[in-house]
Amino acid sequence: MAEIKILKNIMDENLSQAAKNRQWFRSRKILVLNLIASPGAGKTTFLEQTIKGLTPNFKLAAIEGDITGDHDAKRIEALGVPVVQINTEGGCHLDAHMIDSVLSSLDLSGLNFLFIENVGNLVCPAEFDLGEDLKVVVLSTPEGHDKPAKYPLIFSEAQAVIINKIDLLQAVDFDLIIAERDIRRLNPNVPIFRLSCKTGEGLDKWLQWLETQGTDNG
Amino acid sequence: MHELAITQSLFKIVLEQAQKAGATKVTRINLKIGRLTGYVPEAVEMNFNLLASGTMAEGAGLKIEWAPVKVHCRDCQKESERQDLGLGCAHCGSLNVRIAGGREMYIESMEVDNG
Protein backbone atom coordinates (compact mmCIF):
# COMPACT_ATOMS: atom_id res chain seq x y z
CA MET A 1 0.00 0.00 0.00
CA ALA A 2 1.24 3.50 -0.75
CA GLU A 3 0.01 6.98 0.01
CA ILE A 4 0.01 9.50 -2.82
CA LYS A 5 0.01 13.19 -1.93
CA ILE A 6 -2.40 15.06 -4.19
CA LEU A 7 -3.43 18.40 -2.67
CA LYS A 8 -5.83 19.23 -5.46
CA ASN A 9 -8.88 21.41 -5.16
CA ILE A 10 -11.95 19.38 -6.13
CA MET A 11 -13.38 22.49 -7.75
CA ASP A 12 -10.25 23.02 -9.89
CA GLU A 13 -11.92 22.07 -13.13
CA ASN A 14 -14.70 24.60 -12.68
CA LEU A 15 -12.30 27.25 -11.42
CA SER A 16 -9.96 26.95 -14.38
CA GLN A 17 -12.86 27.20 -16.86
CA ALA A 18 -14.22 30.18 -14.90
CA ALA A 19 -10.81 31.86 -15.17
CA LYS A 20 -10.87 31.32 -18.96
CA ASN A 21 -14.39 32.76 -19.18
CA ARG A 22 -13.36 35.76 -17.09
CA GLN A 23 -10.32 36.47 -19.26
CA TRP A 24 -12.47 36.16 -22.38
CA PHE A 25 -15.08 38.61 -21.02
CA ARG A 26 -12.47 41.09 -19.79
CA SER A 27 -10.65 41.14 -23.11
CA ARG A 28 -13.95 42.23 -24.69
CA LYS A 29 -14.78 44.66 -21.87
CA ILE A 30 -18.07 42.91 -21.11
CA LEU A 31 -19.33 43.33 -17.55
CA VAL A 32 -20.87 40.02 -16.45
CA LEU A 33 -23.47 39.69 -13.71
CA ASN A 34 -24.42 36.42 -12.05
CA LEU A 35 -27.93 36.84 -10.60
CA ILE A 36 -28.65 34.51 -7.71
CA ALA A 37 -31.89 34.21 -5.73
CA SER A 38 -34.48 31.80 -4.39
CA PRO A 39 -37.32 30.72 -6.68
CA GLY A 40 -39.93 33.46 -6.66
CA ALA A 41 -37.68 36.26 -5.39
CA GLY A 42 -38.37 38.16 -8.59
CA LYS A 43 -35.09 37.60 -10.46
CA THR A 44 -36.59 37.66 -13.93
CA THR A 45 -38.75 40.73 -13.23
CA PHE A 46 -35.68 42.40 -11.74
CA LEU A 47 -33.73 41.52 -14.88
CA GLU A 48 -36.53 42.89 -17.09
CA GLN A 49 -36.55 46.17 -15.16
CA THR A 50 -32.77 46.40 -15.28
CA ILE A 51 -32.74 45.77 -19.03
CA LYS A 52 -35.44 48.41 -19.59
CA GLY A 53 -33.50 50.89 -17.46
CA LEU A 54 -30.19 50.38 -19.28
CA THR A 55 -31.49 50.25 -22.86
CA PRO A 56 -30.78 52.01 -25.23
CA ASN A 57 -27.54 53.40 -23.80
CA PHE A 58 -25.92 50.00 -23.50
CA LYS A 59 -25.76 46.80 -25.50
CA LEU A 60 -27.01 43.85 -23.46
CA ALA A 61 -27.40 40.08 -23.62
CA ALA A 62 -28.63 37.43 -21.22
CA ILE A 63 -28.16 33.77 -20.38
CA GLU A 64 -31.14 32.16 -18.64
CA GLY A 65 -30.48 29.17 -16.41
CA ASP A 66 -33.41 26.95 -15.48
CA ILE A 67 -33.93 23.33 -14.65
CA THR A 68 -36.33 23.03 -17.56
CA GLY A 69 -38.35 25.16 -19.99
CA ASP A 70 -37.77 28.54 -21.61
CA HIS A 71 -40.40 30.67 -19.90
CA ASP A 72 -37.90 33.26 -18.62
CA ALA A 73 -35.92 33.36 -21.86
CA LYS A 74 -39.10 34.29 -23.75
CA ARG A 75 -39.75 37.18 -21.37
CA ILE A 76 -36.25 38.55 -21.92
CA GLU A 77 -36.42 37.99 -25.68
CA ALA A 78 -39.61 40.07 -25.76
CA LEU A 79 -37.48 43.06 -24.72
CA GLY A 80 -35.34 42.69 -27.85
CA VAL A 81 -32.31 41.44 -25.99
CA PRO A 82 -30.36 38.43 -27.33
CA VAL A 83 -30.86 35.57 -24.92
CA VAL A 84 -29.86 31.92 -24.72
CA GLN A 85 -31.44 29.35 -22.45
CA ILE A 86 -29.48 26.72 -20.51
CA ASN A 87 -31.51 23.85 -19.06
CA THR A 88 -29.68 22.01 -16.32
CA GLU A 89 -32.12 19.05 -16.48
CA GLY A 90 -32.30 18.75 -12.71
CA GLY A 91 -29.00 20.41 -11.81
CA CYS A 92 -29.31 23.04 -9.10
CA HIS A 93 -26.77 25.55 -10.45
CA LEU A 94 -24.96 26.72 -13.57
CA ASP A 95 -21.25 25.97 -13.91
CA ALA A 96 -18.44 27.57 -15.88
CA HIS A 97 -18.48 24.95 -18.66
CA MET A 98 -22.18 25.54 -19.32
CA ILE A 99 -21.48 29.24 -19.80
CA ASP A 100 -18.58 28.51 -22.15
CA SER A 101 -20.76 26.15 -24.20
CA VAL A 102 -23.35 28.82 -25.06
CA LEU A 103 -21.08 31.80 -25.75
CA SER A 104 -20.78 30.97 -29.43
CA SER A 105 -24.56 31.14 -29.86
CA LEU A 106 -24.80 34.75 -28.64
CA ASP A 107 -23.89 37.90 -30.53
CA LEU A 108 -21.44 39.45 -28.09
CA SER A 109 -19.85 42.07 -30.35
CA GLY A 110 -19.73 45.46 -28.70
CA LEU A 111 -21.59 44.12 -25.68
CA ASN A 112 -21.52 46.14 -22.44
CA PHE A 113 -23.41 43.85 -20.07
CA LEU A 114 -24.06 40.12 -19.99
CA PHE A 115 -26.64 38.99 -17.41
CA ILE A 116 -26.59 35.40 -16.27
CA GLU A 117 -29.75 34.40 -14.42
CA ASN A 118 -28.77 31.42 -12.32
CA VAL A 119 -31.06 28.56 -11.27
CA GLY A 120 -33.36 29.60 -8.38
CA ASN A 121 -31.39 28.50 -5.32
CA LEU A 122 -29.33 30.25 -2.65
CA VAL A 123 -27.03 27.30 -1.91
CA CYS A 124 -25.23 25.66 -4.83
CA PRO A 125 -24.86 28.69 -7.15
CA ALA A 126 -22.68 30.23 -4.43
CA GLU A 127 -20.12 27.45 -4.91
CA PHE A 128 -19.66 27.68 -8.68
CA ASP A 129 -17.67 30.55 -10.15
CA LEU A 130 -18.89 31.27 -13.69
CA GLY A 131 -16.25 33.86 -14.55
CA GLU A 132 -18.57 36.74 -13.69
CA ASP A 133 -17.52 40.18 -12.44
CA LEU A 134 -20.40 40.64 -10.01
CA LYS A 135 -22.48 38.20 -8.04
CA VAL A 136 -25.79 39.94 -7.35
CA VAL A 137 -28.14 38.38 -4.80
CA VAL A 138 -31.83 39.20 -4.95
CA LEU A 139 -33.64 38.69 -1.65
CA SER A 140 -37.36 39.45 -1.51
CA THR A 141 -39.32 40.53 1.55
CA PRO A 142 -41.81 37.57 1.61
CA GLU A 143 -38.85 35.19 2.07
CA GLY A 144 -38.13 36.57 5.53
CA HIS A 145 -35.28 38.58 7.00
CA ASP A 146 -33.53 35.47 8.32
CA LYS A 147 -32.18 34.43 4.92
CA PRO A 148 -28.76 36.14 5.16
CA ALA A 149 -28.13 34.34 8.48
CA LYS A 150 -29.34 31.03 7.07
CA TYR A 151 -27.50 31.18 3.73
CA PRO A 152 -24.34 33.03 4.73
CA LEU A 153 -22.02 32.00 1.92
CA ILE A 154 -23.85 33.67 -0.95
CA PHE A 155 -24.33 36.90 1.01
CA SER A 156 -20.66 36.98 1.97
CA GLU A 157 -19.69 36.46 -1.70
CA ALA A 158 -22.03 39.05 -3.22
CA GLN A 159 -20.86 42.31 -4.80
CA ALA A 160 -24.38 43.73 -4.51
CA VAL A 161 -27.50 42.72 -2.58
CA ILE A 162 -31.00 43.62 -3.76
CA ILE A 163 -33.88 43.64 -1.27
CA ASN A 164 -36.83 43.31 -3.65
CA LYS A 165 -40.60 43.69 -3.15
CA ILE A 166 -40.34 46.47 -0.57
CA ASP A 167 -43.88 47.42 -1.64
CA LEU A 168 -44.97 44.38 0.42
CA LEU A 169 -43.28 45.48 3.65
CA GLN A 170 -46.60 46.33 5.31
CA ALA A 171 -48.03 42.92 4.49
CA VAL A 172 -45.14 40.63 5.41
CA ASP A 173 -43.08 40.09 8.52
CA PHE A 174 -39.75 41.31 7.20
CA ASP A 175 -37.43 43.42 9.35
CA LEU A 176 -35.16 45.50 7.09
CA ILE A 177 -32.90 46.41 10.01
CA ILE A 178 -32.19 42.78 10.92
CA ALA A 179 -31.72 41.72 7.30
CA GLU A 180 -29.28 44.54 6.57
CA ARG A 181 -27.43 44.05 9.87
CA ASP A 182 -26.86 40.37 9.04
CA ILE A 183 -25.80 41.17 5.48
CA ARG A 184 -23.28 43.73 6.81
CA ARG A 185 -21.93 41.21 9.31
CA LEU A 186 -21.16 38.88 6.46
CA ASN A 187 -20.04 41.46 3.96
CA PRO A 188 -19.38 44.87 5.57
CA ASN A 189 -19.04 47.03 2.48
CA VAL A 190 -21.48 45.46 0.06
CA PRO A 191 -23.97 47.91 -1.50
CA ILE A 192 -27.56 47.06 -0.55
CA PHE A 193 -30.41 48.31 -2.72
CA ARG A 194 -33.97 48.37 -1.35
CA LEU A 195 -36.34 48.39 -4.28
CA SER A 196 -39.63 47.30 -5.76
CA CYS A 197 -39.74 46.04 -9.33
CA LYS A 198 -43.49 46.48 -9.24
CA THR A 199 -43.68 50.16 -8.26
CA GLY A 200 -40.23 51.08 -9.56
CA GLU A 201 -39.20 52.55 -6.20
CA GLY A 202 -35.45 52.42 -5.64
CA LEU A 203 -34.64 51.10 -9.12
CA ASP A 204 -32.91 54.34 -10.14
CA LYS A 205 -30.22 53.96 -7.47
CA TRP A 206 -29.46 50.41 -8.54
CA LEU A 207 -29.30 51.42 -12.21
CA GLN A 208 -26.99 54.34 -11.44
CA TRP A 209 -24.65 52.06 -9.50
CA LEU A 210 -24.68 49.44 -12.25
CA GLU A 211 -23.97 52.01 -14.97
CA THR A 212 -20.98 53.21 -12.95
CA GLN A 213 -19.69 49.62 -12.75
CA GLY A 214 -20.13 49.25 -16.50
CA THR A 215 -18.40 52.54 -17.25
CA ASP A 216 -15.48 51.69 -14.96
CA ASN A 217 -15.19 48.37 -16.69
CA GLY A 218 -15.03 49.83 -20.20
CA MET B 1 -27.27 17.66 -7.36
CA HIS B 2 -24.59 19.98 -6.17
CA GLU B 3 -22.92 16.91 -4.71
CA LEU B 4 -23.03 15.12 -8.05
CA ALA B 5 -20.95 17.85 -9.70
CA ILE B 6 -18.48 17.75 -6.84
CA THR B 7 -18.28 13.97 -6.90
CA GLN B 8 -17.69 13.83 -10.67
CA SER B 9 -14.78 16.22 -10.27
CA LEU B 10 -13.44 14.29 -7.31
CA PHE B 11 -13.70 10.97 -9.12
CA LYS B 12 -11.94 12.31 -12.20
CA ILE B 13 -9.00 13.60 -10.18
CA VAL B 14 -8.73 10.35 -8.21
CA LEU B 15 -8.63 8.18 -11.35
CA GLU B 16 -6.12 10.45 -13.11
CA GLN B 17 -3.76 10.51 -10.15
CA ALA B 18 -4.08 6.78 -9.51
CA GLN B 19 -3.28 5.97 -13.14
CA LYS B 20 -0.34 8.35 -13.05
CA ALA B 21 1.01 6.57 -9.97
CA GLY B 22 0.56 3.16 -11.60
CA ALA B 23 -1.86 2.05 -8.90
CA THR B 24 -4.11 -0.96 -9.28
CA LYS B 25 -6.55 -0.11 -6.51
CA VAL B 26 -7.56 2.97 -4.55
CA THR B 27 -8.40 2.10 -0.96
CA ARG B 28 -8.86 5.44 0.75
CA ILE B 29 -9.24 9.11 -0.25
CA ASN B 30 -8.38 11.76 2.31
CA LEU B 31 -10.34 14.98 1.90
CA LYS B 32 -10.16 18.35 3.57
CA ILE B 33 -13.55 20.08 3.53
CA GLY B 34 -14.44 23.49 4.93
CA ARG B 35 -17.45 23.97 7.18
CA LEU B 36 -18.78 26.67 4.86
CA THR B 37 -19.01 24.53 1.76
CA GLY B 38 -22.38 22.87 2.34
CA TYR B 39 -20.72 19.54 1.58
CA VAL B 40 -23.00 16.62 2.54
CA PRO B 41 -20.85 13.51 3.13
CA GLU B 42 -23.64 10.96 2.68
CA ALA B 43 -24.62 12.42 -0.69
CA VAL B 44 -21.03 12.47 -1.97
CA GLU B 45 -20.45 8.90 -0.76
CA MET B 46 -23.56 7.65 -2.47
CA ASN B 47 -22.60 9.30 -5.77
CA PHE B 48 -19.01 8.16 -5.44
CA ASN B 49 -20.02 4.53 -4.93
CA LEU B 50 -22.10 4.68 -8.10
CA LEU B 51 -19.36 6.31 -10.17
CA ALA B 52 -16.58 4.10 -8.82
CA SER B 53 -18.42 0.84 -9.32
CA GLY B 54 -16.32 -1.40 -11.61
CA THR B 55 -13.27 0.89 -11.49
CA MET B 56 -10.10 0.68 -9.44
CA ALA B 57 -11.67 3.11 -6.96
CA GLU B 58 -14.57 0.77 -6.16
CA GLY B 59 -14.99 0.45 -2.40
CA ALA B 60 -12.56 3.27 -1.59
CA GLY B 61 -13.35 5.03 1.68
CA LEU B 62 -13.78 8.80 1.79
CA LYS B 63 -12.22 10.23 4.92
CA ILE B 64 -13.03 13.84 5.72
CA GLU B 65 -11.04 16.25 7.79
CA TRP B 66 -13.31 19.23 8.47
CA ALA B 67 -11.72 22.68 8.25
CA PRO B 68 -13.19 25.30 10.60
CA VAL B 69 -14.56 28.71 9.61
CA LYS B 70 -11.83 31.31 10.11
CA VAL B 71 -12.00 35.05 9.78
CA HIS B 72 -9.20 37.55 9.39
CA CYS B 73 -9.89 40.92 11.00
CA ARG B 74 -8.99 43.92 8.84
CA ASP B 75 -8.92 46.16 11.92
CA CYS B 76 -6.80 44.29 14.48
CA GLN B 77 -5.19 42.00 11.87
CA LYS B 78 -5.83 38.92 14.00
CA GLU B 79 -7.39 35.66 12.93
CA SER B 80 -10.16 33.86 14.80
CA GLU B 81 -12.08 30.62 14.47
CA ARG B 82 -15.85 30.74 14.62
CA GLN B 83 -18.59 28.22 15.07
CA ASP B 84 -21.03 30.26 13.05
CA LEU B 85 -21.10 33.34 10.88
CA GLY B 86 -22.13 36.77 12.05
CA LEU B 87 -19.95 36.90 15.15
CA GLY B 88 -17.30 39.24 13.83
CA CYS B 89 -13.71 39.18 15.09
CA ALA B 90 -13.35 37.16 18.30
CA HIS B 91 -10.58 39.51 19.49
CA CYS B 92 -11.92 43.03 18.95
CA GLY B 93 -15.54 42.44 17.87
CA SER B 94 -15.07 44.26 14.57
CA LEU B 95 -17.31 43.22 11.70
CA ASN B 96 -14.71 44.28 9.19
CA VAL B 97 -13.49 40.75 8.53
CA ARG B 98 -12.78 38.54 5.56
CA ILE B 99 -13.36 34.79 5.42
CA ALA B 100 -9.95 33.14 5.68
CA GLY B 101 -10.97 29.51 6.07
CA GLY B 102 -13.95 27.22 5.77
CA ARG B 103 -14.28 27.10 2.00
CA GLU B 104 -11.65 24.40 1.41
CA MET B 105 -12.51 21.44 -0.76
CA TYR B 106 -9.29 19.54 -1.30
CA ILE B 107 -8.16 16.01 -1.97
CA GLU B 108 -5.13 15.86 0.30
CA SER B 109 -3.93 12.39 -0.50
CA MET B 110 -5.05 8.89 -1.28
CA GLU B 111 -3.98 5.43 -0.32
CA VAL B 112 -3.45 2.97 -3.16
CA ASP B 113 -2.26 -0.56 -3.87
CA ASN B 114 0.41 -0.93 -6.50
CA GLY B 115 -0.46 -4.46 -7.57
Side-chain angles (χ1 to χ4, degrees):
Chain A
M1 200 191 79
E3 185 174 7
I4 312 173
K5 285 272 167 222
I6 300 181
L7 274 183
K8 234 176 159 19
N9 189 336
I10 298 172
M11 305 295 268
D12 266 357
E13 213 181 326
N14 189 66
L15 285 171
S16 65
Q17 181 63 53
K20 280 183 210 161
N21 293 355
R22 187 165 280 116
Q23 196 178 16
W24 196 90
F25 292 133
R26 294 227 163 128
S27 69
R28 286 162 180 78
K29 297 191 186 306
I30 302 171
L31 192 84
V32 183
L33 281 80
N34 181 3
L35 301 181
I36 299 175
S38 310
K43 272 194 309 304
T44 311
T45 308
F46 172 69
L47 181 52
E48 285 173 327
Q49 296 289 13
T50 301
I51 286 171
K52 285 181 198 161
L54 290 175
T55 316
N57 299 328
F58 296 93
K59 200 176 164 201
L60 321 169
I63 295 173
E64 286 291 329
D66 276 301
I67 288 176
T68 187
D70 60 356
H71 185 257
D72 294 347
K74 280 182 179 151
R75 283 171 61 181
I76 302 306
E77 202 166 32
L79 300 174
V81 165
V83 59
V84 58
Q85 175 79 46
I86 299 176
N87 285 134
T88 60
E89 307 296 345
C92 55
H93 59 272
L94 295 175
D95 68 34
H97 290 93
M98 295 177 193
I99 301 302
D100 176 56
S101 71
V102 298
L103 289 179
S104 59
S105 51
L106 273 174
D107 175 16
L108 299 167
S109 59
L111 202 68
N112 303 107
F113 292 94
L114 173 65
F115 298 96
I116 302 171
E117 183 175 343
N118 218 311
V119 179
N121 178 356
L122 286 177
V123 186
C124 312
E127 288 289 345
F128 288 81
D129 185 2
L130 305 180
E132 74 277 344
D133 296 289
L134 308 171
K135 278 191 175 73
V136 177
V137 185
V138 182
L139 169 67
S140 66
T141 57
E143 293 167 66
H145 52 247
D146 56 352
K147 293 302 166 288
K150 291 178 78 170
Y151 300 88
L153 183 60
I154 186 56
F155 287 93
S156 70
E157 292 268 301
Q159 279 77 41
V161 177
I162 310 300
I163 300 182
N164 188 23
K165 307 191 189 180
I166 57 164
D167 52 303
L168 293 178
L169 275 172
Q170 297 301 318
V172 296
D173 186 17
F174 185 95
D175 190 326
L176 275 171
I177 308 293
I178 293 176
E180 293 188 356
R181 180 199 68 191
D182 288 350
I183 292 165
R184 294 255 176 258
R185 282 184 173 173
L186 294 160
N187 195 341
N189 301 315
V190 71
I192 301 174
F193 299 94
R194 301 174 180 184
L195 56 84
S196 164
C197 290
K198 192 169 180 185
T199 65
E201 186 184 350
L203 267 166
D204 51 340
K205 283 197 180 119
W206 152 250
L207 289 166
Q208 272 168 18
W209 181 83
L210 185 56
E211 286 188 18
T212 313
Q213 305 299 309
T215 311
D216 290 350
N217 194 52
Chain B
M1 288 305 165
H2 173 210
E3 274 69 24
L4 183 58
I6 291 170
T7 317
Q8 280 168 336
S9 247
L10 165 70
F11 180 66
K12 199 174 161 199
I13 296 169
V14 164
L15 271 200
E16 272 170 16
Q17 298 290 323
Q19 279 161 0
K20 220 161 80 181
T24 52
K25 184 154 185 61
V26 179
T27 54
R28 194 153 102 153
I29 301 155
N30 297 311
L31 305 170
K32 187 165 192 178
I33 309 290
R35 290 279 182 199
L36 269 180
T37 56
Y39 180 100
V40 181
E42 295 77 8
V44 176
E45 268 166 35
M46 189 185 78
N47 291 326
F48 189 84
N49 291 339
L50 285 171
L51 288 172
S53 169
T55 73
M56 72 168 107
E58 183 169 347
L62 297 174
K63 189 186 162 241
I64 299 171
E65 184 196 335
W66 290 100
V69 178
K70 280 187 191 161
V71 294
H72 175 85
C73 178
R74 295 190 183 99
D75 291 336
C76 75
Q77 302 299 326
K78 286 183 189 157
E79 207 164 85
S80 40
E81 265 185 32
R82 309 193 308 188
Q83 293 306 311
D84 101 64
L85 275 178
L87 302 175
C89 171
H91 302 282
C92 71
S94 166
L95 300 177
N96 189 12
V97 297
R98 97 183 142 73
I99 295 171
R103 298 210 53 196
E104 298 84 344
M105 221 190 263
Y106 282 95
I107 308 178
E108 290 220 280
S109 65
M110 58 189 190
E111 290 158 31
V112 299
D113 289 337
N114 285 21

